[in-house]
Amino acid sequence: MKVILTQDVKKLGAKGDIVEVSDGYGRNFLLPKKLALIANTENLNIAKDKAQVTARRKAQEADEAQLLAAQLEKLTIEIPVKVGEGGKLFGSVGGADVSKVLKSKHDIDIDKRKISFTEEVISPGPYTVIIKLHQNVQSKVKVEVVAK
């Protein structure tokens, strides 16, 4: 029996996949739990349309990420921090700090978990952060840590 998966099913396939399953598995498990639809011509056409829409949306998201990456690479972000004797920082500088500055000064909203430093920030100076914008798109941004 051929079915179209409406949700990801472990060890079987992802949402939208058309898979061949045994009749009993399809009738007794997948269909009653609404994990799949029978692969008739009407449902196949609907699945193909949804796949095209999803592919277009993913391509558009990738294009937007490319544009944002180009915009971010032109920026230099200044983060003021408290510095003690010997040029050591009080506390640390992380992705949350970079995200906050991007939001407040440049009106760009990026999740702090997508920001990672290439090296540990231990004193004022220039650093580089990598921002993962999309599955295949990342941007390197210059960060200047300055003393208050």
Side-chain angles (χ1 to χ4, degrees), residues 26 49 60 63 70 73 85-86 91-92 100-101 107 119 125 133 141:
D49 290 342
Q60 182 179 7
D63 290 343
E73 287 184 1
E85 293 179 23
S92 64
K100 194 163 85 175
V101 170
D107 199 33
E119 57 186 298
L133 299 169
V141 180

Side-chain angles (χ1 to χ4, degrees), residues 33-136:
K33 292 194 180 241
K34 303 210 185 317
L35 297 174
L37 296 171
I38 295 175
N40 58 22
T41 55
E42 181 182 342
N43 289 340
L44 284 172
N45 290 334
I46 292 170
K48 286 179 185 176
D49 290 342
K50 284 183 181 180
Q52 289 176 347
V53 168
T54 302
R56 267 184 281 170
R57 189 180 75 243
K58 285 183 179 182
Q60 182 179 7
E61 287 174 359
D63 290 343
E64 289 173 1
Q66 289 283 358
L67 291 172
L68 183 58
Q71 182 182 2
L72 284 173
E73 287 184 1
K74 296 176 186 174
L75 296 177
T76 299
I77 302 167
E78 254 187 42
I79 300 178
V81 293
K82 290 183 181 179
V83 178
E85 293 179 23
K88 295 278 186 175
L89 298 180
F90 284 127
S92 64
V93 176
D97 300 316
V98 175
S99 177
K100 194 163 85 175
V101 170
L102 280 172
K103 181 67 175 166
S104 64
K105 292 192 178 175
H106 303 287
D107 199 33
I108 298 173
D109 193 18
I110 294 180
D111 187 13
K112 66 182 181 182
R113 293 173 288 196
K114 295 183 178 189
I115 300 171
S116 62
F117 282 82
T118 56
E119 57 186 298
E120 187 178 354
V121 180
I122 54 174
S123 64
Y127 294 92
T128 303
V129 295
I130 296 174
I131 300 175
K132 187 168 174 83
L133 299 169
H134 192 262
Q135 185 177 5
N136 300 323

